[in-house]
Amino acid sequence: MPVWCCSCSLAGHFRNYSDTETEGEIFNSLVQYFGDNLGQKVKAMPLVEETSFLEDSSVTLPVVVIGNGPSGICLSYMLSGYRPYLSSEAIHPNTILHSKLEEARHLSIVDQDLEYLSEGLEGRSSNPVAVLFDTLLHPDADFGYDYPSVLHWKLEQHHYIPHLVLGKGPPGGAWHNMEGSMLTISFGNWMELPGLKFKDWVSSKRRNLKGDRVMPEEIARYYKHYVKVMGLQKNFRENTYITSVSRLYRDQDDDDGQDRNISTQHLQIEKSKFIKRNWEIRGYQRIADGSHVPFCLFAENVALATGTLDSPAHLEIEGEDFPFVFHSMPEFGAAISKGKLRGKVDPVLIVGSGLTAADAVLCAYNNNIPVIHVFRRRVTDPSLIFKQLPKKLYPEYHKVYHMMCTQSYSVDSNLLSDYTSFPEHHVLSFKSDMKCILQSLSGLKKIFKLSAAVVLIGSHPNLSFLKEQGSYLGHNSSQPITCKSNPVEIDAYTYECVKEANLFALGPLVGDNFVRFLKGGALGVTRCLATRQKKKHLFVERGGGDGIA
């Protein structure tokens, strides 16, 4: 079966490097080649026979990023050599942090001690580097201030680390698939990426910005434009689908000797090269005529930036696969826009207590569709997301929360005409006659006839390309990876997976669901890779033999 293999298609452009050559020379050659030629050569996707890359190949990518949403875009920006420095006129409102920044003003943040800078900071992320980077980009944002960033950015091309960012659609990831009628939860400036202010971009596209919150499709267009204006296109490949990411060998100190996909002799050859061929990434690219072109890449490091919106969570109950049961806002929105629910007297059942469920409530309410809203929590639960949103900034969500509290079902009354909430209830089953059975905490069951049901209880990332669906990377290896309850377990400052060396994760996979916090993951990963690269170069310069790190 023919596949396209990055290593093989580039092999003709690289000679086999001898042990006497320095890593620096090899790296410079890689930079020159990838910078000048990779975009053109890879786009052509030359086909070779699969057998040709099994025995010999000279080139392995330093980094492959899986996912081209804001996490992957921001990581590519920093891997491309963009470096943040403390602005000369900037004064951070946190005096302790500012004094730390002043100590190494001449260094970029990437070259500083992130643990030292993060110490003592608090924010709405459990990852300290995410909190640090957010407070540098948006000082005191959680207190309602709109202070400018204390950072300015420089492009230092000698810091460029060759990489590819693979995504299913255009840059922006899931933002291109979100329901367009809803406002984003975050302010527009919180959605922006380094180096391009969202408001500046918006002002060039339309006359004014009504309010601080924006539509998802505007954010999607901004991310796509960002990749272009920052010169990152050569690093991005669209319409790519990953089928497997596997280790080619494990380090000697691993607790078992399994997963060795190459021979011991071949292993010694690989270890003698500039970049360790740690990972094999297989997949296919969909081209214009709809056909699939398989590919194989090799990488020293892989960064997971897939997000968590791939697979909507299910209730796992009887009848959930009936066609009147939806599991996403786009499905529900499409049904409404096509008029499938117009004139229906039976209510729509909405399951969930998060913001997406609230969006569905608003969508139905605004289209005069009666709603039954079912959720497991009590309305006074302090962990409800509505408790964290200021009323003035998010009036529509507080409207939903007000209805949840004041329009709840009671045995003494029937369903209300527009909306009825069922706190501390769950769905037992769906029936083929479009009925559902609800059950309360006390065990009382109720049956209702529906026009549709929308289950919006979260989502899981699609990590099917990893062994065990990636669950072994989580804090609880027996459960699937989820943003809230079981994120990928990482080193707090490098974002490297605790249970898998040379594998990194950032964004929602590690619990950072808001764009303003996922940028910290790009900082952590970039610092880690840049530090390791420096150590390799120092080892060579000090006469470290064959240059093996």
Side-chain angles (χ1 to χ4, degrees):
M1 177 181 177
V3 302
W4 170 73
C5 174
C6 174
S7 300
C8 288
S9 64
L10 304 182
H13 297 272
F14 285 98
R15 62 196 183 280
N16 288 322
Y17 292 104
S18 67
D19 289 343
T20 58
E21 290 179 291
T22 69
E23 267 187 330
E25 290 171 350
I26 302 172
F27 182 77
N28 289 336
S29 297
L30 281 167
V31 170
Q32 182 180 359
Y33 179 81
F34 284 110
D36 297 340
N37 300 314
L38 185 62
Q40 179 181 353
K41 297 294 183 183
V42 172
K43 189 174 182 180
M45 303 278 296
L47 297 178
V48 297
E49 290 300 316
E50 184 172 2
T51 54
S52 64
F53 65 78
L54 294 176
E55 296 301 326
D56 178 58
S57 185
S58 298
V59 179
T60 298
L61 283 161
V63 188
V64 168
V65 182
I66 300 176
N68 65 353
S71 297
I73 294 172
C74 191
L75 180 55
S76 178
Y77 177 77
M78 299 190 73
L79 292 177
S80 295
Y82 286 94
R83 290 292 183 264
Y85 288 84
L86 181 66
S87 297
S88 58
E89 70 285 356
I91 300 177
H92 197 282
N94 184 322
T95 55
I96 296 176
L97 176 59
H98 185 76
S99 65
K100 291 180 179 179
L101 294 169
E102 285 285 3
E103 293 172 7
R105 176 181 281 276
H106 61 291
L107 294 177
S108 79
I109 304 300
V110 173
D111 297 314
Q112 297 188 41
D113 185 340
L114 300 183
E115 183 172 2
Y116 172 64
L117 293 177
S118 303
E119 186 179 8
L121 298 179
E122 296 181 354
R124 290 195 292 162
S125 171
S126 59
N127 296 310
V129 178
V131 175
L132 167 65
F133 210 29
D134 178 65
T135 195
L136 295 176
L137 293 168
H138 307 288
D140 283 355
D142 286 332
F143 296 105
Y145 297 107
D146 189 21
Y147 293 138
S149 169
V150 298
L151 302 177
H152 74 279
W153 293 82
K154 296 180 181 179
L155 176 57
E156 299 175 347
Q157 293 182 336
H158 60 283
H159 287 311
Y160 175 73
I161 298 177
H163 63 281
L164 279 182
V165 183
L166 307 178
K168 296 177 182 177
W175 285 94
H176 290 279
N177 303 319
M178 291 187 184
E179 177 64 28
S181 62
M182 301 299 166
L183 293 170
T184 62
I185 183 62
S186 297
F187 297 141
N189 64 324
W190 287 359
M191 313 298 290
E192 68 191 20
L193 297 179
L196 179 62
K197 290 185 177 296
F198 182 77
K199 287 183 178 179
D200 293 345
W201 176 79
V202 165
S203 64
S204 69
K205 299 297 179 182
R206 60 180 187 176
R207 293 182 181 177
N208 54 33
L209 182 65
K210 296 179 180 179
D212 290 320
R213 293 168 59 210
V214 293
M215 298 292 185
E217 62 264 29
E218 292 178 295
I219 298 296
R221 286 196 294 267
Y222 164 80
Y223 291 146
K224 188 175 181 179
H225 177 77
Y226 181 92
V227 169
K228 181 179 180 180
V229 76
M230 293 299 173
L232 308 179
Q233 305 102 307
K234 67 183 178 185
N235 305 315
F236 282 72
R237 297 293 173 270
E238 300 178 18
N239 303 313
T240 56
Y241 296 79
I242 308 302
T243 56
S244 75
V245 175
S246 57
R247 246 194 200 287
L248 289 178
Y249 67 84
R250 294 190 175 277
D251 292 334
Q252 294 177 352
D253 58 355
D254 277 7
D255 54 3
D256 62 60
Q258 300 177 356
D259 297 321
R260 289 177 178 264
N261 295 345
I262 58 177
S263 67
T264 304
Q265 180 181 3
H266 201 166
L267 174 62
Q268 297 304 318
I269 296 173
E270 289 299 327
K271 281 196 171 185
S272 70
K273 293 184 178 177
F274 163 51
I275 298 175
K276 290 181 180 178
R277 182 174 291 181
N278 291 327
W279 298 100
E280 178 190 80
I281 302 102
R282 289 178 178 268
Y284 62 88
Q285 184 177 41
R286 294 181 63 178
I287 56 178
D289 63 4
S291 61
H292 296 176
V293 179
F295 66 80
C296 170
L297 296 169
F298 298 104
E300 180 179 13
N301 302 283
V302 169
L304 303 174
T306 61
T308 59
L309 296 178
D310 289 308
S311 304
H314 285 56
L315 296 168
E316 306 295 344
I317 60 173
E318 176 191 346
E320 196 173 3
D321 56 351
F322 285 131
F324 65 89
V325 181
F326 305 124
H327 290 86
S328 72
M329 271 300 296
E331 284 182 304
F332 182 46
I336 291 178
S337 64
K338 292 176 182 178
K340 293 182 178 180
L341 303 178
R342 188 178 299 126
K344 298 286 186 180
V345 294
D346 295 320
V348 166
L349 171 69
I350 296 173
V351 184
S353 59
L355 295 178
T356 309
D359 282 341
V361 169
L362 289 168
C363 187
Y365 188 88
N366 293 335
N367 283 276
N368 299 312
I369 300 171
V371 172
I372 292 176
H373 188 188
V374 174
F375 45 96
R376 290 179 176 270
R377 299 182 186 181
R378 63 184 189 277
V379 293
T380 56
D381 190 324
S383 64
L384 284 173
I385 185 64
F386 309 99
K387 300 278 190 178
Q388 304 172 33
L389 303 178
K391 289 183 180 180
K392 290 184 178 180
L393 300 180
Y394 305 96
E396 75 281 23
Y397 288 129
H398 278 277
K399 176 183 178 180
V400 174
Y401 181 55
H402 180 74
M403 292 194 297
M404 290 167 64
C405 295
T406 62
Q407 295 181 219
S408 57
Y409 180 83
S410 69
V411 293
D412 301 325
S413 64
N414 295 321
L415 294 177
L416 301 175
S417 61
D418 55 355
Y419 171 94
T420 308
S421 70
F422 286 79
E424 299 182 275
H425 280 69
H426 65 277
V427 184
L428 275 182
S429 64
F430 295 104
K431 301 301 180 181
S432 58
D433 58 358
M434 298 185 72
K435 290 181 180 179
C436 72
I437 302 175
L438 307 183
Q439 186 174 41
S440 67
L441 277 180
S442 64
L444 184 64
K445 298 179 182 178
K446 309 172 187 67
I447 301 176
F448 295 101
K449 183 79 162 62
L450 308 173
S451 61
V454 194
V455 178
L456 299 168
I457 55 173
S459 58
H460 303 306
N462 180 3
L463 299 176
S464 59
F465 50 81
L466 292 172
K467 71 175 185 179
E468 301 174 18
Q469 309 284 312
S471 61
Y472 77 104
L473 299 172
H475 288 264
N476 183 349
S477 59
S478 65
Q479 297 295 321
I481 298 297
T482 60
C483 175
K484 292 182 179 179
S485 59
N486 191 35
V488 173
E489 187 177 7
I490 55 169
D491 179 279
Y493 300 99
T494 67
Y495 285 74
E496 188 171 27
C497 296
V498 169
K499 297 167 185 173
E500 195 73 90
N502 304 107
L503 183 66
F504 299 81
L506 63 162
L509 289 176
V510 299
D512 286 330
N513 233 357
F514 292 113
V515 173
R516 56 181 285 206
F517 292 115
L518 58 80
K519 290 172 275 195
L523 172 61
V525 174
T526 302
R527 169 165 169 71
C528 178
L529 295 176
T531 301
R532 290 179 181 176
Q533 181 179 300
K534 284 182 181 178
K535 288 180 179 178
K536 288 180 180 179
H537 291 173
L538 285 173
F539 188 78
V540 172
E541 289 169 4
R542 292 173 180 173
D546 59 6
I548 304 173

